[in-house]
Amino acid sequence: MSRLADAVLSHRLLVVLVWLVIAGAGAATTTRTVDALSYDFGLPGQPAYEANTDIQRQFGGGGLVDPVVLTVRAPAGTDLSSGEGAAAFAQVAEQVAASAPGTRVVVPGDGEARALVSPDGRRAVALLYPRVVGGPDPYARALPAIERAASTASVAGVTPQLTGTALLAESSGGDRGVLVEVVLGGAGALIVLAVVFGSLLAGVPLLVAAVSILGTYLALLGLTSLTDVSFVVQYLVALIGLGVAIDYSLLIVMRWREERSHGADNDTAVRTAVATAGRSVLFSGVTVAVSLAALVAVPLPFLRSIGLGGLLIPVLSVATSLTLVPVVLHVAGPRLQWPRRTPHDPTSRRWATLARVVVRRRWIVIVATVALLAAMTAPLLTLRLGSPEIEAYGSDSAPGRAAQGVVDDGVAAGVVRPTEVLVDAADAARVASLLAAVPGIAAATSVDAEGWTVGGTSLLQVWSEADPATSAGSRTLDRVRTVADGQGARVGGTPAEDADFVTAVYGDAVWVLLGIVVITFLLLARALRSLWLPVKALVLNVISIGAAYGITVLIWQNGLGTEQVFGASASGTITVWVPVAVFAFLFGLSMDYEVFILSRMREAYDEHGDTHRAVVDGISRTGRLVTSAALILFLAFIALSTVPSIDVKILATALALGIAIDALVVRALLAPALVAVLGRANWTMPRGLARALRVRDAEGGSGRARHRASL
């Protein structure tokens, strides 16, 4: 690292020019990068995805996309289940469907579709399947015409309403770029940095973050030319990139300021900061990159792209922190300390006092924090994976009120998210009859209208009584698939794809997680020259992430505070891909703080050989830093939670909780208490492992002091 510092300072003009060019190119191509992102959630090789792909190819729509729901509630005395009322509603539905050529439609009079009418006969539903297009809105081409036609139609004097998951997501999401979230996150970070530094130094991490984010977007554009990259990555790059780049540069600037407070000249302080804090930054960045790289092993293009795109975040953040920060400090560091001119020692008396209490009461701290974390993790036992329940979209919008009205009036919730079944046309009526008899199914029908049989294959509609996102709906789907498989039929629709998503993501998850753990252990063992410190760090990481999962389930699945905090209803489920993405990000990000803290403890122990004193020294020197860095990342995730998408809100909630729990409970209390309990074992490594990792002096001596650690 000392060589790197010398090289960077010797070529500082070149370093600045390179980053200026990269940032400028990134800024100029940001719009192009966002436009190149993919909205495909495909599951190649999974039966539901393959069936849905064939449904869209043969029938033009449906399959991967739920239908548009046309519904009306007639005034008292009007019966939409038969007679003139039913004929009037069917005619309106056909007219609305005809406004978008190629749209297939199901009305209550089709086959056994009487379940599309409420028990009292006043609520009727028609399902419209327009032709889909690529991009974020699959019905972008057809929906405007359908909305115009519906707004001018009338059934028994009432204007029909439109709903469906596509409209529900649009009405709850809006159309907002990532810039809003970046501004929110940046404003929060600036406040924290201003408090930490009290000088113009607060602008250095923000400058580095801006360059890092723009550079990552430029790299992301190159990645989109090689493979599809999910639209979710743009938010992760912007917000996680903001937090990580600030954290890394903050660590180096704080160490530089500490060296200056001890009397070092500017260049010596810069070199020392890069050699010490820079080493921690490098190992932290590699750890984050490794955990994200594990997503590449998941056999789903969507998650693989999140892994590849997310991997760019720590790489660019480390690169800017290790090159641009030293140059800025070399050129303008002392001047940027205005108005606080006196070098400030970041060692905190308050954190030192806390560390001493933790060391003295280490067993009490361990028992109390483990009990607290276990209580936080407990809700994880009730975890349900899937798409949000219909009620999660709320009733603040017209589509939301219409969907709620459909369910409240007794129409089966499954009509909003149907299961679709491909079957030979000759067997369509017989298979539909078998599926209709499945427990939990409200109706199954073979539609005789045009567009529902193509090339000898018919498409059946199957509607569950319960919302497919609920446990009851999931069990019903399993029974449907069993019957369909026995008849040689193929099951599609979004509920079936959700079920396959769980299998695809978590089928081999154990091996992916094991790979992350092994590689991370080797990296940490090499960095910390210890066997038990990495083991402890890994165990604490799993505990911390489990607690974050548990509280997220409590909030989003069970609805604790969801309305008050987010202004949204409980989702009833946790989005399928969120837990694995949260693990990949949190595992690396929370390990940052462990590396920062343990590196300073290791450094202190190498100086005097006293474990308890090393704990106090390490916490007093990093407590304020880790808390500030965690607060900045926490605020970045809070900004991410304002993204309208429910899926992204759940992701941001889990990430924010994970960072807060990790910094305030695990790293501030439990980790130092465990180091104090382990005593001398913290600083030892078996000779065989030390030789394999090329670690010298694994016992902790540095030639300055060799004392036996206190036990």
Side-chain angles (χ1 to χ4, degrees):
M1 297 306 293
S2 297
R3 294 179 183 176
L4 175 63
D6 292 337
V8 167
L9 295 182
S10 299
H11 302 86
R12 52 189 177 274
L13 180 59
L14 178 61
V15 169
V16 172
L17 288 176
V18 168
W19 285 118
L20 281 176
V21 170
I22 290 175
T29 58
T30 297
T31 302
R32 183 179 166 192
T33 300
V34 173
D35 290 342
L37 298 178
S38 169
Y39 290 82
D40 182 23
F41 289 81
L43 304 171
Q46 294 297 320
Y49 173 78
E50 299 299 339
N52 285 335
T53 300
D54 287 343
I55 289 172
Q56 283 199 351
R57 179 176 54 81
Q58 293 179 253
F59 297 90
L64 298 168
V65 185
D66 293 321
V68 174
V69 178
L70 179 79
T71 182
V72 66
R73 179 168 174 78
T78 302
D79 185 5
L80 299 180
S81 64
S82 61
E84 294 182 1
F89 178 73
Q91 183 179 8
V92 166
E94 296 285 357
Q95 290 173 348
V96 172
S99 67
T103 298
R104 292 177 289 114
V105 61
V106 188
V107 297
D110 289 328
E112 301 298 321
R114 288 185 296 275
L116 297 179
V117 180
S118 63
D120 64 4
R122 292 178 57 192
R123 168 77 68 176
V125 170
L127 305 183
L128 280 61
Y129 287 93
R131 292 191 176 277
V132 299
V133 295
D137 185 357
Y139 292 147
R141 186 177 299 167
L143 198 54
I146 289 175
E147 289 175 332
R148 285 193 299 271
S151 66
T152 58
S154 176
V155 178
V158 178
T159 301
Q161 299 170 297
L162 294 174
T163 187
T165 58
L167 282 81
L168 289 168
E170 179 182 317
S171 63
S172 65
D175 185 13
R176 191 172 81 187
V178 71
L179 182 60
V180 176
E181 285 74 33
V182 173
V183 170
L184 290 173
L190 180 59
I191 293 172
V192 175
L193 292 170
V195 172
V196 170
F197 290 111
S199 68
L200 295 178
L201 279 173
V204 175
L206 282 174
L207 170 66
V208 173
V211 173
S212 176
I213 291 172
L214 292 173
T216 307
Y217 265 93
L218 183 62
L220 199 61
L221 178 60
L223 186 61
T224 60
S225 66
L226 301 175
T227 184
D228 288 342
V229 178
S230 171
F231 74 98
V232 175
V233 175
Q234 65 180 312
Y235 299 109
L236 301 179
V237 166
L239 277 306
I240 295 181
L242 178 72
V244 170
I246 288 177
D247 281 5
Y248 290 167
S249 54
L250 177 62
L251 180 64
I252 294 175
V253 174
M254 290 283 277
R255 187 57 186 262
W256 170 83
R257 194 171 67 161
E258 179 182 341
E259 295 300 320
R260 290 280 290 166
S261 72
H262 294 161
D265 64 78
N266 189 47
D267 280 2
T268 300
V270 170
R271 286 180 168 84
T272 302
V274 174
T276 54
R279 186 172 180 271
S280 296
V281 166
L282 178 60
F283 274 98
S284 297
V286 171
T287 303
V288 176
V290 165
S291 62
L292 290 171
L295 288 179
V296 179
V298 177
L300 295 179
F302 163 67
L303 281 175
R304 190 180 299 131
S305 74
I306 290 181
L308 289 171
L311 189 146
L312 297 174
I313 298 171
V315 171
L316 270 294
S317 297
V318 168
T320 51
S321 297
L322 294 181
T323 57
L324 189 56
V325 172
V327 171
V328 173
L329 294 177
H330 169 79
V331 173
R335 293 192 294 274
L336 291 175
Q337 289 187 293
W338 182 87
R340 181 187 287 175
R341 290 292 187 184
T342 304
H344 180 71
D345 187 348
T347 302
S348 169
R349 294 181 181 178
R350 293 179 181 177
W351 281 99
T353 300
L354 175 63
R356 291 189 187 98
V357 172
V358 169
V359 168
R360 285 198 303 269
R361 303 285 187 266
R362 48 191 177 275
W363 283 110
I364 295 176
V365 170
I366 290 172
V367 172
T369 52
V370 169
L372 175 63
L373 292 168
M376 291 180 177
T377 306
L380 181 59
L381 298 175
T382 65
L383 173 69
R384 287 204 314 273
L385 297 172
S387 296
E389 293 180 12
I390 296 170
E391 293 182 353
Y393 293 100
S395 56
D396 294 334
S397 64
R401 289 189 293 273
Q404 195 62 53
V406 168
V407 176
D408 290 346
D409 286 342
V411 177
V415 303
V416 180
R417 294 186 61 217
T419 295
E420 301 187 82
V421 179
L422 285 170
V423 63
D424 287 342
D427 297 328
R430 181 179 60 82
V431 173
S433 178
L434 290 173
L435 293 174
V438 170
I441 290 299
T445 186
S446 172
V447 183
D448 294 329
E450 182 181 356
W452 289 91
T453 298
V454 176
T457 300
S458 292
L459 185 59
L460 308 182
Q461 291 283 288
V462 182
W463 305 305
S464 60
E465 294 174 351
D467 188 325
T470 64
S471 298
S474 178
R475 290 191 295 269
T476 299
L477 174 64
D478 290 340
R479 291 190 287 266
V480 167
R481 297 184 89 161
T482 299
V483 172
D485 289 345
Q487 300 301 315
R490 301 166 61 200
V491 178
T494 58
E497 187 147 346
D498 278 353
D500 285 356
F501 214 128
V502 174
T503 302
V505 172
Y506 299 99
D508 298 320
V510 172
W511 300 108
V512 174
L513 300 183
L514 183 61
I516 295 177
V517 169
V518 170
I519 295 174
T520 303
F521 168 78
L522 296 175
L523 289 171
L524 290 178
R526 179 70 176 82
L528 299 172
R529 292 176 287 140
S530 169
L531 169 65
W532 292 109
L533 287 179
V535 171
K536 178 186 67 64
L538 291 169
V539 171
L540 292 185
N541 249 25
V542 173
I543 293 174
S544 176
I545 294 171
Y549 282 160
I551 302 300
T552 302
V553 168
L554 205 59
I555 292 173
W556 280 106
Q557 183 174 301
N558 300 340
L560 179 64
T562 315
E563 288 280 359
Q564 294 81 356
V565 177
F566 298 97
S569 301
S571 62
T573 60
I574 300 299
T575 307
V576 176
W577 59 268
V578 165
V580 68
V582 167
F583 183 91
F585 278 99
L586 273 187
F587 192 88
L589 293 175
S590 58
M591 195 64 77
D592 281 355
Y593 305 137
E594 187 79 354
V595 171
F596 296 167
I597 295 170
L598 293 180
S599 294
R600 290 311 295 265
M601 289 183 184
R602 175 89 239 193
E603 189 177 329
Y605 179 82
D606 286 349
E607 291 177 357
H608 49 65
D610 187 316
T611 297
H612 293 178
R613 187 177 160 194
V615 171
V616 175
D617 289 347
I619 294 296
S620 65
R621 293 172 184 172
T622 61
R624 183 184 301 166
L625 166 65
V626 167
T627 304
S628 300
L631 181 57
I632 289 170
L633 202 51
F634 177 80
L635 293 174
F637 292 140
I638 292 298
L640 182 63
S641 72
T642 67
V643 171
S645 168
I646 292 177
D647 294 352
V648 178
K649 284 181 183 294
I650 297 174
L651 173 69
T653 301
L655 292 174
L657 287 169
I659 291 298
I661 292 169
D662 188 79
L664 299 178
V665 179
V666 176
R667 309 308 170 190
L669 299 173
L670 184 54
L674 288 174
V675 172
V677 166
L678 288 172
R680 188 172 181 269
N682 290 292
W683 323 108
T684 61
M685 177 184 287
R687 291 182 179 179
L689 181 60
R691 283 196 300 269
L693 297 178
R694 297 184 179 182
V695 174
R696 296 181 180 180
D697 193 17
E699 293 296 322
S702 63
R704 287 177 283 184
R706 295 292 297 262
H707 302 289
R708 184 175 296 275
S710 58
L711 300 174

